[in-house]
Coordinates of all heavy atoms in Angstrom, one line a residue:
K1 N 75.8 153.1 25.8 CA 77.1 153.6 25.4 C 77.3 153.4 23.9 O 77.1 152.4 23.4 CB 78.1 152.9 26.3 CG 79.5 153.6 26.2 CD 80.5 152.9 27.1 CE 80.1 153.1 28.6 NZ 81.0 152.5 29.5
G2 N 77.8 154.5 23.3 CA 78.0 154.5 21.9 C 76.8 154.9 21.1 O 76.9 155.1 19.9
R3 N 75.6 154.9 21.7 CA 74.4 155.3 21.0 C 73.8 156.6 21.4 O 73.2 157.3 20.7 CB 73.4 154.2 21.1 CG 73.8 152.8 20.6 CD 72.6 151.8 20.5 NE 72.2 151.6 21.9 CZ 70.9 151.8 22.3 NH1 70.0 152.3 21.5 NH2 70.5 151.5 23.6
F4 N 73.9 156.9 22.7 CA 73.4 158.1 23.3 C 74.5 159.0 23.7 O 75.6 158.7 24.0 CB 72.6 157.7 24.6 CG 71.3 157.0 24.4 CD1 71.0 156.4 23.2 CD2 70.4 156.8 25.5 CE1 69.8 155.7 23.1 CE2 69.3 156.1 25.4 CZ 69.0 155.5 24.1
T5 N 74.1 160.3 23.6 CA 75.1 161.4 24.0 C 74.3 162.4 24.8 O 73.3 162.9 24.4 CB 75.6 162.1 22.7 OG1 76.3 161.1 21.9 CG2 76.6 163.2 23.1
I6 N 74.9 162.7 26.0 CA 74.4 163.7 26.9 C 75.2 165.0 26.7 O 76.5 164.9 26.6 CB 74.3 163.2 28.3 CG1 73.6 164.3 29.2 CG2 75.7 162.9 28.9 CD1 73.3 163.8 30.6
S7 N 74.6 166.1 26.8 CA 75.3 167.4 26.7 C 74.6 168.4 27.4 O 73.4 168.3 27.7 CB 75.6 167.8 25.2 OG 74.4 168.0 24.5
R8 N 75.2 169.5 27.7 CA 74.6 170.6 28.4 C 75.1 171.9 27.9 O 76.3 172.1 27.5 CB 74.7 170.5 29.9 CG 76.1 170.8 30.4 CD 76.3 170.4 31.9 NE 75.4 171.3 32.7 CZ 75.1 171.1 34.0 NH1 75.5 170.0 34.6 NH2 74.3 171.9 34.7
D9 N 74.3 172.9 27.9 CA 74.6 174.3 27.6 C 74.2 175.2 28.7 O 73.0 175.5 28.8 CB 74.0 174.7 26.3 CG 74.4 176.1 25.8 OD1 74.9 176.9 26.6 OD2 74.3 176.3 24.6
N10 N 75.1 175.5 29.6 CA 74.7 176.2 30.8 C 74.3 177.6 30.5 O 73.4 178.2 31.2 CB 75.9 176.3 31.8 CG 76.2 174.9 32.4 OD1 75.4 174.1 32.4 ND2 77.4 174.8 32.9
A11 N 74.8 178.2 29.4 CA 74.3 179.6 29.0 C 72.9 179.6 28.6 O 72.2 180.6 28.8 CB 75.2 180.1 27.9
K12 N 72.4 178.5 28.1 CA 71.0 178.4 27.7 C 70.1 177.6 28.7 O 68.9 177.3 28.4 CB 70.9 177.7 26.3 CG 71.6 178.5 25.2 CD 71.4 177.8 23.9 CE 72.1 178.6 22.8 NZ 71.9 177.9 21.4
N13 N 70.7 177.2 29.8 CA 70.0 176.4 30.8 C 69.3 175.2 30.2 O 68.1 175.0 30.4 CB 69.0 177.3 31.5 CG 69.6 178.4 32.4 OD1 70.8 178.3 32.7 ND2 68.8 179.4 32.7
N14 N 70.1 174.4 29.5 CA 69.5 173.3 28.8 C 70.4 172.1 28.8 O 71.7 172.2 28.8 CB 69.3 173.7 27.3 CG 68.6 172.6 26.5 OD1 67.4 172.3 26.7 ND2 69.4 172.0 25.6
V15 N 69.9 170.9 28.9 CA 70.6 169.6 28.8 C 69.8 168.8 27.8 O 68.6 168.7 27.8 CB 70.8 168.9 30.2 CG1 69.4 168.6 30.8 CG2 71.6 167.7 30.0
T16 N 70.6 168.1 27.0 CA 70.0 167.3 25.9 C 70.5 165.8 26.0 O 71.5 165.5 26.6 CB 70.3 167.8 24.5 OG1 71.7 167.7 24.3 CG2 69.8 169.2 24.4
L17 N 69.7 164.9 25.5 CA 70.1 163.5 25.3 C 69.8 163.2 23.8 O 68.6 163.0 23.4 CB 69.3 162.6 26.2 CG 69.7 161.1 26.2 CD1 71.1 161.0 26.8 CD2 68.7 160.3 27.0
Q18 N 70.9 163.0 23.1 CA 70.8 162.6 21.7 C 70.8 161.1 21.7 O 71.7 160.4 22.2 CB 71.9 163.1 20.9 CG 71.9 162.7 19.4 CD 70.8 163.2 18.6 OE1 70.4 164.4 18.7 NE2 70.1 162.4 17.9
M19 N 69.7 160.5 21.1 CA 69.6 159.0 21.1 C 69.6 158.5 19.7 O 68.7 158.9 18.9 CB 68.3 158.6 21.8 CG 68.2 159.2 23.2 SD 66.7 158.5 24.1 CE 65.4 159.3 23.1
N20 N 70.6 157.8 19.3 CA 70.7 157.2 18.0 C 70.6 155.7 18.0 O 70.8 155.1 19.1 CB 72.1 157.6 17.4 CG 72.2 159.1 17.2 OD1 71.2 159.8 16.9 ND2 73.4 159.6 17.3
A21 N 70.4 155.1 16.9 CA 70.3 153.6 16.8 C 69.4 153.0 17.8 O 69.7 152.1 18.5 CB 71.7 153.0 16.9
L22 N 68.2 153.6 18.0 CA 67.3 153.2 19.0 C 66.8 151.8 18.8 O 66.6 151.3 17.7 CB 66.1 154.2 19.0 CG 66.4 155.5 19.7 CD1 65.4 156.6 19.3 CD2 66.5 155.4 21.2
K23 N 66.6 151.1 19.9 CA 66.1 149.8 20.0 C 64.8 149.7 20.7 O 64.5 150.6 21.6 CB 67.1 148.9 20.7 CG 68.5 148.9 20.1 CD 69.5 148.1 21.0 CE 70.9 148.2 20.5 NZ 71.8 147.5 21.3
P24 N 63.9 148.7 20.4 CA 62.7 148.6 21.2 C 62.9 148.6 22.7 O 62.0 149.1 23.4 CB 62.1 147.2 20.7 CG 62.7 147.1 19.3 CD 64.0 147.7 19.4
E25 N 63.9 148.0 23.2 CA 64.2 148.0 24.6 C 64.5 149.3 25.2 O 64.6 149.5 26.4 CB 65.3 147.0 25.0 CG 66.6 147.2 24.1 CD 66.6 146.2 23.0 OE1 65.6 146.1 22.3 OE2 67.7 145.6 22.7
D26 N 64.7 150.4 24.4 CA 64.8 151.7 24.9 C 63.5 152.4 25.2 O 63.5 153.5 25.7 CB 65.5 152.6 23.8 CG 67.0 152.2 23.6 OD1 67.7 151.8 24.5 OD2 67.4 152.2 22.4
T27 N 62.4 151.7 24.9 CA 61.1 152.3 25.1 C 60.9 152.5 26.6 O 61.1 151.5 27.4 CB 60.0 151.3 24.6 OG1 60.1 151.3 23.2 CG2 58.6 151.8 25.0
A28 N 60.5 153.7 27.0 CA 60.4 154.0 28.4 C 59.9 155.5 28.5 O 59.9 156.2 27.6 CB 61.7 153.8 29.2
V29 N 59.6 155.9 29.7 CA 59.4 157.3 30.0 C 60.8 157.8 30.5 O 61.4 157.2 31.4 CB 58.4 157.5 31.1 CG1 58.3 159.0 31.5 CG2 57.0 157.0 30.7
Y30 N 61.2 158.9 29.9 CA 62.5 159.4 30.2 C 62.4 160.7 31.0 O 61.5 161.6 30.7 CB 63.3 159.8 28.9 CG 63.8 158.5 28.2 CD1 63.0 157.6 27.6 CD2 65.2 158.3 28.2 CE1 63.5 156.5 27.0 CE2 65.7 157.2 27.6 CZ 64.9 156.3 27.0 OH 65.4 155.1 26.4
Y31 N 63.2 160.8 32.1 CA 63.1 161.9 33.0 C 64.5 162.6 33.1 O 65.5 162.0 33.1 CB 62.8 161.4 34.4 CG 61.5 160.7 34.6 CD1 61.3 159.3 34.4 CD2 60.3 161.4 34.9 CE1 60.1 158.7 34.5 CE2 59.1 160.8 35.1 CZ 59.0 159.4 34.9 OH 57.8 158.8 35.0
C32 N 64.4 163.9 33.1 CA 65.5 164.7 33.4 C 65.6 165.0 34.9 O 64.5 165.2 35.5 CB 65.4 166.0 32.6 SG 66.8 167.2 32.9

């Protein structure tokens, strides 16, 4: 919270995850 932002654009059939201020503990495989 406060670092990541989720958004979607239904017209473009797309969802995004903006990740800022990344930390080593964020290391992972990310799945939509």
Side-chain angles (χ1 to χ4, degrees):
K1 191 173 298 183
R3 301 188 297 120
F4 290 11
T5 302
I6 188 172
S7 62
R8 68 189 298 165
D9 187 337
N10 291 339
K12 297 181 179 179
N13 291 341
N14 183 72
V15 60
T16 64
L17 185 69
Q18 178 67 45
M19 305 185 294
N20 298 325
L22 283 163
K23 305 174 181 179
E25 49 263 46
D26 295 319
T27 296
V29 176
Y30 284 70
Y31 298 89
C32 178

